[in-house]
Amino acid sequence: MARVLILWNQIDDDVYEHFRRDDRRAPDWDPTLVIEPWETVEQEIELIERALRDGGHDAYHINIRDNFENLLDAVRRDPPDCVVNLVEFFHDDPEQEHNVPALFELLNIPYTGNRPIALSLCQKKPQAKALLTACGLPTPRGIVIDALPVPRQIDLRYPLIVKPAHDDASGGIDAGSVVHDRAQLEARVKHVLSEHTMSALVEEYIAGRELHCAILGTEALPLYEMRFKGGVDDQGRPLPDIITYRAKWDPYSRDHYAVESKCPADDLEAELVARIQDIALRAFRAVGCRDYARVDMRLDVATGQPYILEVNPNPDLADSCAFAQSVRASGRTYGQAMNELVHYALERSKIQPRRYIGPTDTLLTEYLARRAANK
């Protein structure tokens, strides 16, 4: 049995708790729909805790509340045997995400999931895309625009999709993200540069099926598909076949009801499934992932070619999300997968014995003793 600390970070009230307090049972645009309340983040964390306890571990969770002292105390004062790292941002900055596991590495504390370099690389979509392309992996053709005006000559075919270059979880993606002409492109790039204060990644839009391949350990799990049903968003704009931010995170939005999931994806030849899973595993290795990730792809309906949209090295582990659905389709229970992640971290700790940080004089004594022994 290991002492397993589940670390997470939340400072604001949970939006789904607000929905419950408001007793919202249906969206404003269709009062006939009945929406079951989504689990709060804390409830999702507690589910992982129960799964690890059922697996024989002494599991507990701490919300660091965006405070470095809380983070440091959680892992230094009474060091756990393993940290389940579920911290996705720090100081409201997703690009700080990789600094949290960097602390675990400096303290030599085993943790689940990906190392800092993989987290940082995948946060920067253009750099990750360049690496994948250099490894011979298929990605949509694209360019990065970091300032206005938009270049006059762009060797890309419309329609295009415009994304914030350093965001994740569909941040900055809505019905206006897919553009069909020069005027729409210029307007959307200006929007990304001004509203998101970051470069815009412009790619050729791949018309086809959206397939996600979750990876656990070194195994590509059954494919998960997001299917598009059409419709309009809350502003009356036609919804393109993309996963918008509101489709992911707002159960009361039209966007959310414009997509549905299927796992495993059907109507795919076994040979094509194997090819997509192979591409996902190669991408997983190319960006330096370990333990788990999700590779999001588009299958071009015209050519049958899969294209990598991005590698997500820290996908949502909630029981209701895509990763968990792929886990079940592989024949595992949710609890088995969570315990498998902890197992990987604990196995790594056996390879390199760890030493907990103690008082400064103890560290100095040990350092001098090692120097003397090496002379």
Side-chain angles (χ1 to χ4, degrees):
M1 182 177 69
R3 290 186 70 248
V4 180
L5 167 60
I6 305 165
L7 269 187
W8 55 297
N9 188 20
Q10 183 171 320
I11 48 177
D12 298 323
D13 290 342
D14 196 298
V15 64
Y16 301 121
E17 193 63 48
H18 280 290
F19 290 156
R20 292 178 183 178
R21 287 200 295 265
D22 296 342
D23 197 29
R24 292 187 64 186
R25 300 296 179 88
D28 297 336
W29 51 273
D30 188 350
T32 66
L33 289 173
V34 177
I35 299 175
E36 294 296 328
W38 285 15
E39 292 179 334
T40 64
V41 174
E42 186 165 14
Q43 288 175 322
E44 294 168 354
I45 300 297
E46 289 171 347
L47 179 60
I48 295 175
E49 179 180 287
R50 288 197 298 272
L52 296 179
R53 286 182 176 275
D54 290 344
H57 297 297
D58 177 14
Y60 60 106
H61 68 89
I62 294 177
N63 178 4
I64 63 173
R65 300 189 182 279
D66 217 30
N67 184 297
F68 180 73
E69 293 301 324
N70 293 343
L71 170 61
L72 190 59
D73 286 347
V75 295
R76 186 177 61 175
R77 182 169 296 173
D78 186 15
D81 296 307
C82 170
V83 172
V84 176
N85 178 32
L86 300 180
V87 178
E88 298 183 34
F89 65 92
F90 198 76
H91 289 171
D92 201 29
D93 183 0
E95 290 198 44
Q96 295 281 355
E97 176 185 21
H98 69 277
N99 288 328
V100 175
L103 175 65
F104 306 151
E105 298 217 349
L106 291 174
L107 298 180
N108 203 22
I109 295 177
Y111 63 95
T112 62
N114 286 288
R115 302 189 71 180
I117 190 169
L119 293 171
S120 179
L121 173 62
C122 293
Q123 187 76 41
K124 299 172 177 60
K125 289 183 173 67
Q127 289 85 342
K129 180 183 178 72
L131 178 57
L132 294 171
T133 302
C135 291
L137 292 163
T139 68
R141 295 196 313 141
I143 62 169
V144 177
I145 301 176
D146 55 19
L148 294 173
V150 175
R152 293 302 309 170
Q153 298 297 324
I154 296 179
D155 185 26
L156 299 174
R157 293 172 296 180
Y158 288 98
L160 305 172
I161 183 167
V162 184
K163 314 172 185 177
H166 307 301
D167 210 336
D168 60 1
S170 290
I173 305 295
D174 59 35
S177 295
V178 177
V179 300
H180 299 268
D181 55 39
R182 175 80 188 188
Q184 290 181 351
L185 172 62
E186 290 179 344
R188 192 65 189 186
V189 169
K190 181 179 180 180
H191 169 80
V192 169
L193 294 177
S194 60
E195 295 297 320
H196 299 274
T197 61
M198 64 179 71
S199 301
L201 173 60
V202 180
E203 294 180 312
E204 292 183 348
Y205 170 77
I206 306 300
R209 299 173 66 174
E210 176 113 1
L211 301 169
H212 299 175
C213 183
I215 296 171
L216 180 58
T218 57
E219 178 186 346
L221 304 183
L223 302 182
Y224 171 97
E225 181 173 8
M226 292 297 292
R227 294 177 172 176
F228 304 100
K229 300 186 289 185
V232 297
D233 70 0
D234 292 343
Q235 301 178 41
R237 297 178 298 184
L239 284 167
D241 291 348
I242 59 174
I243 303 175
T244 68
Y245 181 84
R246 298 193 73 183
K248 275 190 175 181
W249 306 113
D250 184 356
Y252 296 90
S253 68
R254 296 174 185 269
D255 302 47
H256 181 73
Y257 282 88
V259 295
E260 61 184 5
S261 63
K262 174 69 176 178
C263 187
D266 54 14
D267 300 327
L268 292 173
E269 297 291 336
E271 182 179 348
L272 178 57
V273 171
R275 181 184 173 201
I276 292 170
Q277 290 175 323
D278 177 65
I279 289 172
L281 283 169
R282 288 166 59 198
F284 180 85
R285 293 191 292 266
V287 297
C289 283
R290 71 179 189 188
D291 289 3
Y292 70 104
R294 193 188 70 235
V295 182
D296 299 344
M297 288 186 264
R298 275 291 177 110
L299 179 64
D300 189 320
V301 292
T303 65
Q305 172 65 51
Y307 290 91
I308 300 170
L309 302 181
E310 66 177 355
V311 180
N312 185 342
N314 197 2
D316 197 335
L317 294 181
D319 186 42
S320 57
C321 288
F323 191 89
Q325 291 191 43
S326 294
V327 159
R328 292 191 180 89
S330 75
R332 296 172 173 86
T333 66
Y334 180 75
Q336 285 173 333
M338 296 304 102
N339 281 276
E340 198 169 325
L341 292 177
V342 168
H343 171 76
Y344 297 144
L346 292 173
E347 283 297 302
R348 281 194 292 272
S349 71
K350 294 178 182 178
I351 297 173
Q352 183 177 357
R354 54 189 266 246
R355 174 179 54 81
Y356 296 131
I357 298 298
T360 302
D361 57 346
T362 302
L363 293 174
L364 179 60
T365 300
E366 293 180 0
Y367 169 73
L368 294 174
R370 286 198 303 274
R371 284 198 60 183
N374 291 331
K375 285 184 178 179

